[in-house]
Amino acid sequence: MEITFQLNGKKITRSIESDTILLDLLRELKCYSVKRGCETSNCGLCTVFVNEKPILSCSTIAARVNGAEVVTLEGLQDEAKAFGAYVADEGAEQCGFCNPGFMMNAIAMFRENPDPTDDEIREYLSGNLCRCSGYEGQLRGIKAYLAYKKGEVQNHVTQ
């Protein structure tokens, strides 16, 4: 079957098998930020935006994105760079394997809720598995970035 979709702003037309998983198609298209983790929809490593909503690409049949707009972390470099500096500054980056999915979900949260409480942040990111940290560094990084975006503090991170 043939599908056509926008990937990070570029039109893509591909012939795929009916059972092709979106994660596999995206990696084939060199979107290496999309990672295979648990393969049970529990870790968040494969998160991408489809029509501006975060979805898990490991549990999505690629045919479902026909006619859709798909954005991976490769398509959000400016937004991700600004936020990522705050995460790194708080020491939350350790091995970095979970970062792409974490960044995608955090960016989705920023867009949907620009002023979340700590509990809302924890709830929103609960589907992101990180084995290196206790999530406190990520929470501090998110809070510092949000404070900067609101103008409450100056940018203390060198980019």
Side-chain angles (χ1 to χ4, degrees):
M1 83 179 347
E2 188 171 279
I3 64 171
T4 300
F5 62 102
Q6 292 288 321
L7 175 60
N8 298 327
K10 296 179 185 172
K11 183 178 178 181
I12 302 289
T13 299
R14 279 290 173 158
S15 186
I16 62 168
E17 297 296 323
S18 60
D19 63 347
T20 299
I21 300 297
L22 181 57
L23 176 133
D24 295 330
L25 177 60
L26 293 173
R27 292 202 47 96
E28 200 177 287
L29 293 168
K30 302 189 182 344
C31 294
Y32 298 124
S33 69
V34 184
K35 296 180 181 177
R36 184 178 310 282
C38 66
E39 295 190 69
T40 59
S41 303
N42 288 310
C43 71
L45 293 176
C46 65
T47 302
V48 299
F49 291 167
V50 174
N51 295 332
E52 300 186 18
K53 297 289 182 199
I55 62 107
L56 298 172
S57 64
C58 76
S59 59
T60 302
I61 299 295
R64 296 193 77 189
V65 302
N66 189 37
E69 178 186 7
V70 178
V71 178
T72 67
L73 194 57
E74 286 86 355
L76 297 172
Q77 287 302 297
D78 291 338
E79 208 168 344
K81 181 181 176 185
F83 169 57
Y86 282 87
V87 174
D89 192 51
E90 293 296 335
E93 213 170 36
Q94 296 186 27
C95 85
F97 193 69
C98 69
N99 279 0
F102 167 73
M103 301 277 288
M104 293 297 290
N105 279 303
I107 289 168
M109 180 185 64
F110 300 151
R111 291 175 178 182
E112 292 176 16
N113 183 358
D115 193 24
T117 65
D118 287 4
D119 286 340
E120 288 171 327
I121 293 169
R122 285 186 186 101
E123 183 178 327
Y124 205 91
L125 301 178
S126 65
N128 287 87
L129 180 65
C130 175
R131 295 188 186 268
C132 295
S133 74
Y135 301 97
E136 289 305 310
Q138 285 101 334
L139 180 62
R140 286 191 312 269
I142 287 170
K143 289 171 66 172
Y145 178 70
L146 289 171
Y148 163 69
K149 293 287 281 183
K150 290 184 212 170
E152 294 173 2
V153 295
Q154 288 188 341
N155 185 355
H156 69 283
V157 177
T158 54
Q159 296 184 20

